[in-house]
């Protein structure tokens, strides 16, 4: 009698990559719905362009690398990258820009380093930064949130804007787009306005920018879902938020008129999305428990530094990429104590 | 000092998976009848292989030692029944490698006739513990939880390591396996009797018996037996069901709060850990003078018709055991020796049950499907969260794959207990443990090579050294000879005889000269 020989453990393994990535996508849904509600159909169109491009690019590259295509596509990792990039882009980003970003993320950042698991940089964030430095104007042309938007575009109008670059006759780009709240805050602080003056602007809501704060809340719900499902651990998001609040809080205490309130930092940009969905990308983050805390905390502090003194209004992408570089070193110095480690091993 | 709040500690990581024990729990299917031939591997334990002390054709009796050990770490083998030695040869044995190893083949005569046995030692507590250790060693007892480490070595902790706690392992944390459970339910007295002996042998202050809370009947039976024995300082502790609770280091941690040092053994922290079935075997050896001849084996899985536990004499083919559990069902797909977490698949069932065989799991395709293709590691850290040894399995994997065996050691490869938790939780379905086993084997091979190279180098150096020494000695001898010669020559120059001769010759010459002068002068004068 000949029996099959396999290695232990035996059984139906409880977990798989597709499930993990699928749960990440699921967790993004509330935030995405909120984005669509506040910023229009462009968000969904961007996502569709990005996902289609990502799947095609992934299949193409795997084919060229003579790797099996189907398992890699079904692991949903390319889809996650595409969605994360798409929701970071302004709602009316030209279609080719989105495609370019996704191609860069999948082909250069992911596959040139060896594919899933081997890329040192977060592909979505690397692509975002590439687009930001290449097309600074287009990348900062956001739409105002729904309640402040005097000229909401219909689905067809949005399609035309994204694919043809054209707007309805009575509108110009300048009339329909506005700076992001972070950008606006920055510009006005530069003009030596005080925070109380700036806060008069209708764009500020209860604890962050109007519209944005609610998007942040919905992403937070998704993030908590990921925590509950144990897809991520608390270390990175909490440390990152703590880093940002601590740094911004300290400066705000000393100078509340020229330093925005910490809550503003938390709820006006990509912070919540970044903390729960981007910095937690396991491939490029630190992997030890202590390391994750350090990694997250440093991202939070870096975000504050770049937002306050750097050249770009939002900084989550830059901060994440910077810490991606530091992750291997952080891991090396934060190895957990081995069971039964003797004192000399601990030293 | 008696441990405070035993069982209140915790170990890091571990996993929960359905325990699948109900199929076989509490079911005893009897003793497997003897087949015609028994195959007894000479290596059924950790340590040195036993050496046969019988010849082919020799008649042996039940309980007779048929192979002994001369090394310290090892265990003898006894004839599980009477019969004739049919052969001593290589035979396939249950091993992950699927290779053959030396075995004694015993032709069973069916009489089951006992040979001469040593005296029972019911008053063991008057005896020198070393005699009891000797008895345990004679009985060929090894760890019956699956590890098969010689018990006589374990209980010989040495005078410089006093033992505070004897931990009795009844956790049985591997899914499916229920043989220890059955033993505790039905033969708790026998286990407790063994504990009494062991407590005396290792001179421990207390005994903690750890049993997972999914075995309430076993816990109750053991508590009752302990109470009736009148033993003080023996406690049955209910521990949570979480794999690998029954890992020696994990159970000790949970019961006593102490951590066995990395690369160390429990006696270093005053603990000795013995499995319940091993304790029962000690009872037989000491109280009845009987060696270890059989064990309880769980036969289970959807691949057998009736799951349960059987008492199996060593050397019986697994196929024979399965046949006595109603045979394979239609669903049988693979045969696993041990549990689903740490066991290994057998390519064949014509293999003997040995001392370490605790479970035969005939799994269906649904229970143990063929492994999926592995995805790349996404560094999610799930493995790290599950690792009871608190390692970084993802880093170990990375370096094992890169064959960087210095780095795997830096990441404490040898603290890995191969429990399989990391593989279990890995979303990428990477067979992580396989990489660690590979890395360990390679490291051993490299070290052996290094040792051999080192030996060769030393041998070479010794040879060069020897040649040089010989050369030096030869030269020295030559020099000595020459010196001696030279000395002789020099000494010859100062030889009194020669000097005397020379002086005499000189005197003769002078005399001659004077004579001739005198003759001349006389001639002149005359
Ligand atoms: S669980 Fe698997 S995929 Fe996740 S870090 Fe560990 S080895 Fe990598
Ligand atoms: S097999 Fe080794 S590395 Fe994996 S969880 Fe167990 S001890 Fe940790």
């Amino acid at each position: 009698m000949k029996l099959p020989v396999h290695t232990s453990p035996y059984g139906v393994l409880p977990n798989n990559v597709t499930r993990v990535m699928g749960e990440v996508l699921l967790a993004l849904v509330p935030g995405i719905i909120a984005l669509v509600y506040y910023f229009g159909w462009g968000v969904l169109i961007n996502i569709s362009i990005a996902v289609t491009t990502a799947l095609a690019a992934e299949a193409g590259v795997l084919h060229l690398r003579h790797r099996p295509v189907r398992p890699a596509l079904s692991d949903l990792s390319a889809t996650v990258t595409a969605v994360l990039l798409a929701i970071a882009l302004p709602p009316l980003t030209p279609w080719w820009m989105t495609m370019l970003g996704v191609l860069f993320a999948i082909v250069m950042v992911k596959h040139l380093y060896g594919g899933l698991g081997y890329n040192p940089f977060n592909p979505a964030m690397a692509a975002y930064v590439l687009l930001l430095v290449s097309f600074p104007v287009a990348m900062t042309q956001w739409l105002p949130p729904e309640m402040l938007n005097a000229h909401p575009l219909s689905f067809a109008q949005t399609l035309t804007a994204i694919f043809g670059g054209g707007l309805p006759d009575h509108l110009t780009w300048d009339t329909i787009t506005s700076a992001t709240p972070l950008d606006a805050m920055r510009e006005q602080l530069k003009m030596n306005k005080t925070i109380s003056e700036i806060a008069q602007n209708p764009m500020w809501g209860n604890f962050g920018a109007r519209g944005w704060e609610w998007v942040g809340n919905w992403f937070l719900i998704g993030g908590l879902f990921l925590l509950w499902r144990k897809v991520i651990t608390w270390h990175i998001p909490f440390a990152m938020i703590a880093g940002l609040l601590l740094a911004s809080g300290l400066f705000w205490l000393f100078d509340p008129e020229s330093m925005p309130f910490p809550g503003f930092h938390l709820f006006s940009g990509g912070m919540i999305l970044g903390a729960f969905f981007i910095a937690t990308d396991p491939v490029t983050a630190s992997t030890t428990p202590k390391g994750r805390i350090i990694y997250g905390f440093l991202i939070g502090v870096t975000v504050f530094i770049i937002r306050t003194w750097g050249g770009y209004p939002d900084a989550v992408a830059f901060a994440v990429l910077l810490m991606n570089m530091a992750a291997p070193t952080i891991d090396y110095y934060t190895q957990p104590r081995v069971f039964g480690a003797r004192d000399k091993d601990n030293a | 000092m008696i441990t405070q709040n035993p069982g209140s500690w915790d170990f890091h990581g571990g996993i929960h998976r359905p325990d699948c024990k109900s199929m076989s729990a509490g079911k005893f299917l009897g003793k497997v009848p003897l087949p015609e031939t028994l195959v007894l591997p000479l290596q059924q334990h950790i340590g040195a292989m036993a050496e046969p002390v019988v010849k082919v054709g020799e008649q042996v009796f039940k309980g007779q030692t048929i192979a002994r050990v001369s090394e310290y770490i090892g265990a003898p083998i006894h004839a599980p029944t009477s019969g004739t030695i049919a052969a001593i040869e290589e035979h396939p044995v249950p091993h992950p490698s699927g290779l053959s190893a030396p075995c004694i083949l015993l032709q069973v005569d069916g009489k089951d006739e006992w040979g001469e046995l040593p005296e029972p030692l019911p008053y063991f507590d008057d005896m020198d513990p070393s005699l009891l250790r000797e008895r345990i060693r004679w009985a060929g007892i090894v760890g019956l939880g699956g590890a098969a480490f010689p018990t006589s070595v374990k209980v010989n902790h040495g005078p410089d390591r006093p033992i505070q706690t004897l931990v009795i392992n009844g956790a049985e944390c591997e899914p499916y396996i229920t043989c220890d459970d059955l033993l505790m339910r039905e033969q708790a007295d026998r286990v407790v009797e063994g504990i009494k002996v062991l407590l005396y042998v290792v001179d421990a202050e207390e005994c903690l018996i750890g049993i997972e809370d999914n075995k309430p009947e076993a816990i109750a039976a053991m508590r009752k037996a302990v109470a009736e024995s009148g033993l003080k300082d023996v406690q049955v502790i209910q521990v949570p069901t979480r794999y690998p609770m029954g890992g020696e280091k994990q159970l000790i941690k949970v019961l006593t709060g102490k951590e066995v040092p990395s690369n160390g053994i429990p006696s270093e922290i005053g603990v000795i850990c013995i499995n319940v079935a091993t304790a029962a075997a000690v009872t037989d050896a000491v109280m009845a003078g009987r060696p270890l001849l059989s064990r309880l084996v769980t036969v289970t899985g959807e691949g057998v018709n009736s799951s349960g536990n059987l008492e199996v004499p060593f050397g019986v083919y697994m196929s024979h055991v399965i046949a006595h559990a109603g045979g394979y069902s239609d669903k049988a797909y693979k045969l696993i020796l041990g549990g689903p977490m740490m066991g290994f698949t057998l390519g064949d069932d014509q293999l003997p049950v040995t001392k370490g065989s605790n479970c035969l799991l005939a799994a269906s395709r649904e229970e143990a499907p063929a492994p999926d293709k592995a995805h790349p590691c996404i560094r999610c850290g799930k493995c790290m969260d599950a690792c009871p040894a608190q390692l970084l399995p993802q880093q170990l994997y990375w370096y094992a794959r890169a064959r960087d065996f210095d780095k795997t050691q830096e990441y404490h490869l040898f603290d890995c207990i191969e429990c399989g938790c990391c593989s279990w939780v890995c979303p990428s379905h990477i067979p992580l443990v396989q990489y660690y086993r590979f890395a360990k084997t390679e490291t051993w091979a490299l070290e052996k090579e290094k040792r051999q190279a080192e030996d060769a180098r030393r041998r070479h150096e010794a040879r060069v050294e020897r040649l040089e020494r010989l050369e030096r000695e030869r030269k020295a001898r030559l020099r000595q000879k020459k010196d001696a010669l030279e000395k002789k020559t020099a000494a010859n120059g100062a030889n009194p005889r020669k000097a005397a001769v020379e002086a005499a010759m000189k005197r003769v010459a002078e005399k001659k000269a004077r004579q001739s002068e005198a003759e001349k002068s006389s001639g002149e004068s005359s």
Side-chain angles (χ1 to χ4, degrees):
Chain A
M1 178 165 173
K2 269 274 148 270
L3 299 158
V5 176
H6 304 135
T7 57
S8 61
Y10 308 102
V12 183
L13 304 187
N15 209 351
N16 62 62
V17 182
T18 309
R19 207 208 91 199
V20 171
M21 298 290 174
E23 286 189 336
V24 173
L25 289 175
L26 193 63
L28 283 168
V29 168
I32 290 175
I33 293 177
L35 272 177
V36 175
Y37 175 77
Y38 289 112
F39 298 103
W41 294 107
V43 179
L44 274 190
I45 299 170
N46 283 350
I47 292 177
S48 319
I49 299 172
V51 170
T52 320
T53 315
L55 293 179
E58 180 100 346
V61 175
L62 288 169
H63 184 73
L64 288 180
R65 290 178 67 198
H66 303 291
R67 297 285 168 85
V69 172
R70 232 175 10 147
L73 285 191
S74 65
D75 73 22
L76 297 180
S77 64
T79 310
V80 169
T81 299
V83 173
L84 287 178
L85 175 62
I87 57 182
L89 296 177
L92 294 182
T93 307
W95 62 275
W96 56 269
M97 229 182 256
T98 309
M99 274 182 79
L100 186 74
V102 172
L103 283 176
F104 178 74
I106 301 290
V107 179
M108 310 286 284
V109 188
K110 183 172 169 188
H111 280 290
L112 282 193
Y113 280 104
L116 180 64
Y118 295 90
N119 49 302
F121 293 107
N122 184 313
M125 288 304 101
Y128 178 80
V129 165
L130 174 89
L131 294 179
L132 185 62
V133 295
S134 316
F135 312 105
V137 179
M139 289 293 287
T140 41
Q141 275 181 339
W142 268 85
L143 294 180
E146 170 264 349
M147 55 282 252
L148 303 175
N149 194 348
H151 314 280
L153 297 184
S154 70
F155 183 73
Q157 287 167 333
T158 313
L159 264 185
T160 324
I162 290 177
F163 283 95
L167 291 173
D169 288 339
H170 62 286
L171 296 176
T172 64
W173 283 101
D174 280 345
T175 49
I176 62 160
T177 61
S178 81
T180 62
L182 281 170
D183 219 358
M185 173 66 81
R186 221 179 130 72
E187 288 308 315
Q188 303 195 20
L189 280 174
K190 263 197 209 149
M191 295 187 292
N192 284 328
K193 292 202 184 159
T194 64
I195 298 280
S196 5
E197 283 167 345
I198 301 171
Q200 300 308 313
N201 190 303
M203 78 192 296
W204 306 116
N206 300 328
F207 37 90
R210 281 173 83 177
W212 293 86
E213 54 193 17
W214 282 104
V215 173
N217 283 340
W218 288 106
F219 278 125
L220 182 62
I221 287 176
L224 295 177
F225 169 76
L226 289 186
L227 274 180
W228 174 60
R229 298 295 301 155
K230 297 211 171 86
V231 172
I232 58 173
T233 60
W234 59 269
H235 306 76
I236 292 177
F238 282 76
M240 184 166 153
I241 290 171
L244 179 81
L245 290 184
L246 212 72
S248 59
L250 268 182
F251 279 88
W252 173 74
L253 277 181
F254 281 108
D255 190 359
E257 275 307 313
S258 62
M259 287 290 172
F261 174 66
F264 163 82
H265 276 289
L266 197 51
F267 285 101
S268 296
M271 191 60 193
I272 299 285
L273 177 69
F276 285 92
F277 292 90
I278 290 167
T280 50
D281 163 33
V283 175
T284 54
S286 182
T287 168
T288 65
K290 257 190 253 159
R292 283 169 176 169
I293 293 179
I294 297 174
Y295 173 86
F297 189 83
L298 289 179
I299 292 181
V301 174
T302 313
V303 166
F304 174 74
I305 293 175
I306 300 181
R307 279 184 183 176
T308 312
W309 297 288
Y312 290 92
D314 203 349
V316 172
F318 287 102
V320 166
L321 291 180
L322 273 175
M323 287 308 138
N324 283 170
M325 284 195 271
T329 316
I330 298 178
D331 281 349
Y332 186 82
Y333 287 104
T334 54
Q335 289 180 41
R337 174 187 169 279
V338 173
F339 185 96
R342 298 167 198 255
D343 289 340
K344 68 172 163 47
D345 298 344
N346 275 340
Chain B
M1 199 192 68
I2 300 295
T3 306
Q4 296 298 313
N5 304 323
S8 60
W9 288 271
D10 196 11
F11 67 89
H12 174 263
I15 60 156
H16 293 278
R17 67 173 275 188
D19 70 12
C20 304
K21 288 185 192 269
S22 60
M23 294 190 220
S24 59
K27 289 187 196 145
F28 183 55
L29 305 180
K31 190 168 173 157
V32 170
L34 286 164
E36 277 173 24
T37 315
L38 295 178
V39 178
L40 299 151
L42 290 172
Q43 177 101 57
Q44 301 189 26
H45 50 261
I46 291 174
M49 186 181 287
E51 306 139 22
V53 290
V54 289
K55 288 196 197 61
V56 175
E58 194 175 325
Q59 161 79 38
V60 295
F61 296 97
K62 186 174 183 177
Q64 181 181 335
T65 306
I66 56 173
R68 59 172 182 131
V69 276
S70 40
E71 302 277 324
Y72 175 55
I73 301 182
I77 315 276
H78 302 79
T81 184
S82 57
T84 330
I85 302 299
I88 301 175
E89 60 185 26
E90 297 264 319
H91 190 280
V93 293
H95 190 270
S97 65
L99 293 178
S100 296
C103 297
I104 296 178
L105 275 61
L106 176 64
Q107 183 72 41
V108 176
D109 63 11
K111 294 184 202 145
D112 207 24
E113 218 176 306
W114 281 96
E116 208 179 305
L117 293 176
E119 279 294 295
L121 309 169
Y123 304 109
F124 60 85
D125 40 1
D126 287 340
M127 300 179 63
D128 185 341
S130 68
L131 291 173
L132 296 169
R133 273 186 212 115
E134 221 10 82
R135 172 62 63 89
I136 292 170
R137 182 170 166 84
W138 163 83
I141 299 174
V142 300
L144 296 179
F149 186 80
T151 306
S152 60
V153 179
K154 231 182 193 179
V155 296
N156 192 12
H157 48 95
D160 48 337
R161 284 183 180 166
I163 298 303
Q164 184 199 326
T165 312
L166 171 67
V167 165
I168 296 293
N169 191 343
E172 201 168 52
C173 61
E174 272 262 15
Y176 288 96
I177 309 181
T178 59
C179 53
D180 285 351
D181 181 19
L182 185 84
L183 179 81
M184 290 186 283
R185 287 190 201 193
E186 305 205 335
Q187 302 179 33
D189 294 338
R190 203 169 135 230
V191 177
V192 172
E193 202 70 27
I195 291 173
K196 227 188 253 176
V197 177
L198 287 166
L199 271 173
Y200 178 71
V201 172
V202 303
D203 194 21
E205 293 168 28
E206 59 169 349
C207 170
L208 302 174
I209 307 168
I211 306 173
E212 278 191 347
D213 56 13
N214 60 355
K215 292 179 265 296
E217 297 88 347
I219 294 173
M222 288 295 290
R223 286 212 165 123
K224 185 159 163 271
V226 169
E228 284 169 0
S229 74
L231 278 171
K232 290 200 183 58
D233 302 325
V234 176
Q235 289 185 66
V236 176
I237 313 286
Q238 172 175 319
V239 293
T241 299
R242 174 157 50 109
Y243 178 84
M245 182 60 77
E248 187 172 77
K249 293 183 171 189
Q250 283 66 42
L251 187 64
I252 291 174
K253 174 79 189 285
V254 169
L255 291 181
T256 69
K258 295 182 192 170
E259 284 190 5
V260 179
S262 157
N263 291 319
I265 56 170
S267 65
E268 284 176 45
I269 51 165
V271 179
I272 282 180
C273 179
I274 304 267
N275 166 272
V276 281
T278 314
V282 168
T283 308
D284 297 350
V286 174
M287 309 306 257
R290 273 213 303 267
L292 182 62
L293 302 178
S294 66
R295 65 163 299 148
L296 278 177
V297 180
T298 302
V299 183
T300 185
E302 290 180 349
V304 287
N305 283 321
S306 45
S307 295
N309 294 278
L310 295 110
E311 189 180 341
V312 186
F314 301 128
V316 173
Y317 272 157
M318 294 170 181
S319 51
H320 188 76
V321 180
I322 301 263
H324 282 272
Y328 290 110
S329 75
D330 300 342
K331 292 180 120 186
Y333 169 56
K334 58 177 128 174
L335 185 60
I336 297 160
L337 178 62
M341 292 304 293
M342 287 183 77
F344 54 91
T345 41
L346 299 168
D348 188 9
D349 59 2
Q350 304 285 310
L351 298 168
V353 166
T354 65
K355 294 176 182 176
S357 315
N358 50 359
C359 176
L360 283 173
L361 170 54
S364 68
R365 220 174 260 276
E366 292 73 42
E367 285 175 300
D372 288 343
K373 234 187 89 48
H375 283 259
C377 166
I378 55 170
R379 306 181 55 74
C380 63
K382 286 267 177 265
C383 48
M384 169 186 76
D385 298 337
C387 177
Q390 291 158 234
L391 305 178
L392 291 175
Q394 69 273 50
Q395 306 295 78
L396 275 176
Y397 160 67
W398 182 271
Y399 291 116
R401 222 173 107 103
R403 310 180 65 96
D404 187 343
F405 300 121
D406 289 333
K407 268 282 185 330
T408 50
Q409 291 221 56
E410 256 178 58
Y411 279 91
H412 308 279
L413 173 67
F414 286 94
D415 281 303
C416 166
I417 57 170
E418 298 180 23
C419 64
C421 290
C422 50
S423 305
W424 182 256
V425 298
C426 175
S428 292
H429 298 183
I430 303 169
L432 294 163
V433 191
Q434 202 183 331
Y435 281 93
Y436 308 148
R437 290 197 190 112
F438 158 78
K440 285 183 186 175
T441 324
E442 288 294 292
T443 311
W444 283 322
L446 279 178
E447 256 161 30
K448 198 167 152 202
E449 226 168 76
K450 219 160 71 192
R451 252 201 323 275
Q452 279 169 351
E454 185 71 8
D455 285 352
R457 191 177 60 81
R458 237 181 269 132
R459 267 202 308 280
H460 174 74
E461 278 173 4
R463 183 162 171 272
V464 170
E465 160 71 18
R466 196 175 66 242
L467 289 179
E468 275 175 3
R469 198 186 64 229
L470 287 179
E471 180 67 13
R472 269 202 312 277
E473 283 173 2
R474 195 178 63 87
K475 280 198 181 134
R477 268 201 308 279
L478 265 179
R479 200 164 335 109
Q480 248 175 13
K481 242 187 215 160
K482 221 166 102 194
D483 280 1
L485 264 177
E486 269 170 16
K487 251 195 221 143
K488 231 182 194 166
T489 337
N492 276 354
N495 191 326
R497 264 180 64 203
K498 203 172 161 195
V501 171
E502 274 170 7
M505 297 224 333
K506 217 163 136 196
R507 274 198 311 274
V508 172
E510 275 169 7
K511 210 175 162 183
K512 257 190 193 161
R514 264 201 314 273
Q515 256 177 8
S516 61
E517 242 168 63
E519 273 167 23
K520 253 192 238 167
S521 61
S522 67
E524 277 169 15
S525 63
S526 62

